Structure formats: structure tokens, C-alpha cells
Amino acid sequence: MSLACAQCPVRDRAACAVLDETERGELGRIGRMVDLAPGEVLFRAGDEAPACATLVEGALKIVDTTAEGFEHILGLIHPAGFVGEFFQPFARHEVVALTRSRLCVFGGHDMERAIERYPALARALLRRAQTDVLASRDLLSLTSSPSAKRKVAGLLLAFADAASDSPCHPAAAFDLPLSRGEMAAMLGLTIETVSRRITAMERDGILSRTGKRGIALHDPARLSGLAERS
Amino acid sequence: MSLACAQCPVRDRAACAVLDETERGELGRIGRMVDLAPGEVLFRAGDEAPACATLVEGALKIVDTTAEGFEHILGLIHPAGFVGEFFQPFARHEVVALTRSRLCVFGGHDMERAIERYPALARALLRRAQTDVLASRDLLSLTSSPSAKRKVAGLLLAFADAASDSPCHPAAAFDLPLSRGEMAAMLGLTIETVSRRITAMERDGILSRTGKRGIALHDPARLSGLAERS
DNA sequence: CGACGGCTTGAAGTCCCTCAATATAAGTGG
DNA sequence: CCACTTATATTGAGGGACTTCAAGCCGTCG
């Protein structure tokens, strides 16, 4: 608990960062550390006990699985991000690890009590929920674009921005955090279309691929042009 | 203020319902009532002064306008709903009245002070933000479906559910809250496709149209079948 | 009445999906 | 180390669904 918090890599950015040392220690006692292997499920749709978690390391995806087994990705969680609801009686979506991940998990009722006890925590989670709404709407903008070219360009640009150190410039080289299939599941496309669009961009000199996941971005301006126009 | 709150139609359901009478009176003093005509803009993308509002009567849309003037609808706000962010420096999207609407508007900084003063208000807004995230993800599920048939069916079903008195059964007859163009802007389709899909459902006996906005739902089961399968 | 905006309907073209084959990479066991 | 397997990507051909472009319909309002 205390020890874990002291060494926590997201201790300055996660929601609990608004608490002082003793408060954080108390919160730490009601949570538990969980490690997840890639593909492992944290929450399952329909789970009765509401729960939530702060992501410490790794990456998660929020998945909606349709009746026919078709998968759709509704959002990604990055370190310091918060996932799960504690007001709803049932979990609505699956939460799955994309990579090896470490989380700080809380029971929903414990967290409800905690936000009553620590008002600053409630405000921090509110702030985070508001940015989650914006992120969700950004993805919505992407997916409802009529053209696959724009969807893929927008997603690649988002990944390049996320991989960059500076907030404004996209990274020149980075690894895709998602497989082709997962990218397709985010954008509402097929694997083949995603692959073809990336191939087309490589042919046009906008980027080049190294291995399955590696991207070298040669012309960020053209990429962001594709993401907005045409 | 007090008078307005006492007669407020959403006084039991809005975020401020968690406050007691005196607290609500104090909150009422820092807000102001605003009436909007259809099409009138409440917040504009890029607005510097962060602001937020509780919708008392009517309906709002959250709109993202692309560079070429193409409109995309990211969400709808219903009475007792809350809109706007107070942590972000700039407004990201336009908020526009769909019908004649009445709102209780707060400056962002005033609201920030209010949630520090009233922890219960922060929790209520957190709860609401979490449901907003879910609503946004529901729309995301709809728009990323590959087939226009499913998108339109899903949207009609959502409207039928929203128009119903009982929470589980869709209304048998209701008016569409959106024009064809707005429905298309929600789903990432063209007006023509939306129109054709509705025509096809009428031909199949699932529903019938009365006027431009009226819908009589004959076979809710088939409609929800379309929204999930096929 | 005539104009206008929203809706519907039609015809043609394009883009994406489906189906299918091949390629590449990583992992397993002999 | 290599054959074999499995999972992931790429590439091709064909067909279908949505878009685009265009015309006509219907209600409202000047």
C-alpha cells in the first residue's frame, strides 16, 4: 500500500494525486494491485459487483461484443487513466488488457465511500470523466467520417501524438499499440481495408512500415491533411 | 432564483437535486435562466470563458463542424441533463438548441467554486458524467456498425425508448426529435440513405410514417432485431 | 400563387466488404 | 536447426451498399 504508492509511476498524475500522504495511504488500503497479461479480462460485461481501477502501467481497451461475436472497441485507457463505474449496478462493457498491465483496483462501494470521505477525489474523478467524454467524442468524430482514408489517417495521427514527448508534435517514429484487427474494430472497418489504406499511404511516401507494428512518419502534414479533408 | 427553482420541472432529477433548499437557493443566485429558440447557439467551439448549464426544458445537440462545413452530431441533451465543461480552458464543440429550450447557465469558474463548496454536487455531476460517457459509447456502437440498416434501426429504437413512459417498452407512436439531416449527421450517413432505410422499414410493415416527423411503431421486436443482427 | 426547405425517389459510380490466396512472423516440438 | 503450426498481414478479384448527382414531391410561408 504505502510502499506501493510511494513508488507508483503515476502518483503525480492519477486521480489519487490530489490526496495528501495519509489520505493516499488510507485509499491504498482499500485497493489492491492487480497484474494483467495481454488479452486478460479485467471486467466482464454484466459483472454484478461494480468495480473501478486506476491504470498504473500498460494499456487497456474497452470492448463491446455484439451478439454474433463481433468486437467493437469503444475506448483505450492509458497510464494514470481511470476505468469502471461505481454508480451503475452492472458493468456495461468488457475491459481487456492490450499489453502486460498493472492496476490499482477498487470495489465500487469502497470507492463510493471514498469519494464521500474525500471531496477532492470526487472532483478529480469528475475532471477525468469530463476528459473521457471528450475522448469518446473524438473517437466518435473519427468513426462517423464517411471515408476509410480519413478514419485510418486520424487514428494514426492520434497514435503519433500519443507517442510523442511534446504535446503538439506527432512522433516521427513509433509503434502502433493496436493490431490491424483492433484498429479495424475501433474504426468500424475491416482488417483488409485498414491494411490497404496504410499500404496506400506508404506508396504515397507519407510513412513507411518496419515490421508489423513499427511506423516511421515522413510527412506528418500530409497525414493530418488526410485526417481532416478529403 | 428561489422562485424559479421552486417551480423548476427538473428540480428532482437535475444535479442540483442533491442540495437542500438553502444550498439550492445559493446555487440559483450564481446561475441565470436562458431561453433559446430552435437553432440558437448556446456555446460556440473555441469559447474562452468556460461555462456549463443544466437543461430545464427542450433539447440540445452537441455539434462538431469540420473544416468544409460538414456537421457531425456527437450527442443529445435532454431535460435534467448537464452540458459543458469547467475544467477545460476552451469549449470544444458547439451546443445548439434543437427545440425551444430553457436552461440554467453557470459560469465555469462559479461552478468550480460551487463544487468545492458542495461536495454532494460534485458527486452528482460525477454520476452524470459517467452516464454521459456511457451514452457517448452507445452512440459510438451505433455509428461504427457497418450497415446503414442497423444504424437507422438503432437510432429509431433509441428515440422510441426515450419517448416511452415506461423504461423498458418503446413507445408505440412518437415524433422524431431530429430532422433527416440531423439523423444522418448523428450516424455518419447521407440524408438519402436515412430516408431510404426508413422507407424500406415502412414497406416491410415495421412502422409507418405520419407527416415528416411522426412514427407509428408496429413491430418493435423486428426493429430491435434489425438493430442487433443482420 | 410561387418560392423555399425538407423529404423522397431514381440512376450511375465509387468505395468498401466479402471471399480467397499468399506472405510473414513467432512459437513449438522433433 | 528445421518442419510444422498458428496468428497476423498483405494482396487480389468480384459484388453489393452507400454516396453522389439529379429530379420531383409536399408542406409552409411570404
Side-chain angles (χ1 to χ4, degrees), chain B residues 1 142 179 182 203:
Chain B
M1 45 135 226
L142 259 191
S179 70
E182 287 165 336
R203 197 187 51 227

Side-chain angles (χ1 to χ4, degrees), chain A residues 123 126, chain B residues 86-87 111-119 122 125:
Chain A
R123 292 195 293 272
L126 174 57
Chain B
F86 31 90
F87 294 122
M111 184 52 84
E112 269 189 89
R113 277 192 291 274
I115 64 169
E116 280 177 28
R117 184 168 178 143
Y118 312 119
L125 290 176

Side-chain angles (χ1 to χ4, degrees), chain B residues 177-193:
Chain B
L178 265 48
S179 70
R180 298 287 184 276
E182 287 165 336
M183 291 172 65
M186 277 195 88
L187 299 174
L189 298 171
T190 59
I191 294 180
E192 294 92 323
T193 301

Side-chain angles (χ1 to χ4, degrees), chain A residues 127-144:
Chain A
R127 179 178 219 128
R128 200 160 276 283
Q130 289 191 352
T131 66
D132 284 351
V133 174
L134 290 183
S136 173
R137 298 218 245 257
D138 281 342
L139 183 53
L140 192 50
S141 284
L142 260 191
T143 55
S144 60

